[in-house]
Structure formats: structure tokens, C-alpha cells
Amino acid sequence: MADRESNLQIAMLWVALKDIKGRIDNEAIPLGMHLGLEDPELMQALETLSERIGIHFGSWRLVAEPCKKKKR
């Protein structure tokens, strides 16, 4: 049961990371540029975070495998 819960949590983390990367790329960075955000360190941190998430997704993949049926 613990493995199933861990697997579910990992899957949920992947979904959250995908959402975070999308929001950084499509909302935060463009809005910061449009508004002329005067915090280059923040903009760099957002770009770095998005890049690191992308590297993670490029290095790993999340797959689902069918469970073995238990004999009754």
C-alpha cells in the first residue's frame, strides 16, 4: 500500500511541476517583461526554475504499468 501511495504522490508532483513550468513560461515571465519588472534576479530565478524543470522532464519520464493481478 505504501508503494501505491508513493507512486501516486510522484505522479501528483509531476502534474504540479508541469503546471508550474507552464505558468512560469506562459504567465509569469511574459507578464514580468510586459510590466518591465525591475527585479532581474527574480526574472532570472523564474527562467532558471523553468529550465531546471524542463531538464528534469528531459531526463526522466513517468510511466504507468499494469498491476499484476493477485490470485484469490
Side-chain angles (χ1 to χ4, degrees):
M1 187 68 155
D3 286 341
R4 184 186 307 181
E5 186 66 27
S6 293
N7 291 342
L8 181 58
Q9 289 175 343
I10 289 170
M12 291 169 60
L13 173 63
W14 276 63
V15 170
L17 287 174
K18 185 176 185 298
D19 182 54
I20 290 167
K21 181 174 179 7
R23 293 193 69 186
I24 290 170
D25 293 344
N26 300 317
E27 296 176 30
I29 291 174
L31 281 171
M33 292 174 62
H34 176 73
L35 296 172
L37 192 64
E38 295 181 11
D39 190 345
E41 291 177 359
L42 175 59
M43 292 300 290
Q44 182 61 47
L46 290 170
E47 290 170 1
T48 300
L49 178 57
S50 176
E51 181 181 326
R52 297 294 301 166
I53 293 171
I55 290 170
H56 176 78
F57 285 148
S59 300
W60 296 91
R61 66 184 180 141
L62 184 64
V63 296
E65 295 180 358
C67 297
K68 295 179 182 177
K69 292 184 179 180
K70 295 181 181 180
K71 294 182 180 180
R72 293 183 184 206

